[in-house]
Amino acid sequence: MTDRRRIIVAITGATGTIYGVRLLEMLQGSDVETHLVLSKWAARTLVHETAYTVEQVQALAAQVYPLADQGAAISSGSFLTSGMVVVPCSMRTLAAIAHGLGDNLIHRAADVILKEHRRLVLAVREAPLSEIHLENMLKLTRMGAIVLPPMPAFYMNPRTLDEVIDHTVLRMLDQFGIEVPGAPRWTGEMNVGQRED
């Protein structure tokens, strides 16, 4: 591998594309080389939910691949990476990965990560969850994947939506051993009833 760590970042069409964008932003200027794939519906959801354009998000990554490019570097196990994060991960993508349906580059890259026993983090987004969703998550967890739904945490007393998003993204990066300088950490100190606005 090169001196830099490599992470594959896939953004799918589930709500919460801002999590993927923020993850790419946090890795800007770090020693992590990002390899990005966006699904067709991710592009549609992105422009609906955020002020970002597809081109702006693509510019955040070191390398961008077309969804249909099954011959891309990230479709091969010989391309060394620290792993892959699918953020957000739609239930369609979850199902395709769980059942080995490599019909696009996101599914294929995830399949490679699993077969090479590398880190696969899935930020699944849906509510409520059906038995099918739960079975697919359990199946992938048993294969070694990490299911990390982007659920807000309130013990850090977030004041803005950005703080909620950042905390969740930092937890995703923790799964790869990536630390962001200056990121707030829980110290165990309680601040009950002392919040000031």
Side-chain angles (χ1 to χ4, degrees):
M1 196 189 298
T2 66
D3 295 0
R4 295 166 63 92
R5 288 179 286 178
R6 293 171 173 156
I7 297 285
I8 301 167
V9 180
I11 302 176
T12 69
T15 187
T17 52
I18 190 62
Y19 289 105
V21 175
R22 191 70 188 112
L23 185 139
L24 289 167
E25 288 176 336
M26 285 187 180
L27 294 178
Q28 286 279 287
S30 73
D31 67 341
V32 179
E33 184 180 286
T34 51
H35 293 254
L36 176 65
V37 188
L38 285 96
S39 75
K40 175 181 74 172
W41 290 108
R44 174 84 176 264
T45 305
L46 175 78
V47 297
H48 175 71
E49 291 184 342
T50 77
Y52 292 88
T53 66
V54 171
E55 294 76 21
Q56 286 172 323
V57 174
Q58 290 174 331
L60 296 171
Q63 184 69 45
V64 179
Y65 304 92
L67 185 65
D69 186 4
Q70 296 279 29
I74 61 173
S75 71
S76 172
S78 63
F79 185 76
L80 297 178
T81 69
S82 298
M84 177 175 182
V85 56
V86 184
V87 54
C89 180
S90 68
M91 288 302 160
R92 178 182 185 274
T93 300
L94 179 80
I97 295 169
H99 296 279
L101 303 178
D103 60 349
N104 68 39
L105 185 56
I106 293 173
H107 307 160
R108 171 59 187 165
D111 187 63
V112 167
I113 294 298
L114 287 172
K115 80 179 181 70
E116 298 293 334
H117 299 281
R118 296 176 187 152
R119 185 66 51 127
L120 177 61
V121 175
L122 304 170
V124 294
R125 264 292 310 126
E126 188 55 272
L129 297 167
S130 74
E131 186 173 344
I132 294 169
H133 303 152
L134 294 167
E135 285 180 352
N136 285 336
M137 284 187 267
L138 180 59
K139 182 175 184 177
L140 283 165
T141 299
R142 287 175 171 161
M143 293 178 196
I146 295 169
V147 175
L148 200 163
M151 296 180 180
F154 297 100
Y155 59 87
M156 300 291 284
N157 291 310
R159 297 173 185 272
T160 66
L161 183 56
D162 282 342
E163 288 180 1
V164 172
I165 293 165
D166 287 354
H167 181 264
T168 303
V169 171
L170 289 167
R171 296 289 291 128
M172 293 175 195
L173 294 175
D174 280 348
Q175 301 305 310
F176 296 94
I178 298 170
E179 286 200 45
V180 175
R185 292 274 175 191
W186 172 249
T187 62
E189 183 178 336
M190 300 299 284
N191 191 27
V192 178
Q194 296 180 15
R195 178 170 171 166
E196 297 178 5
D197 289 320

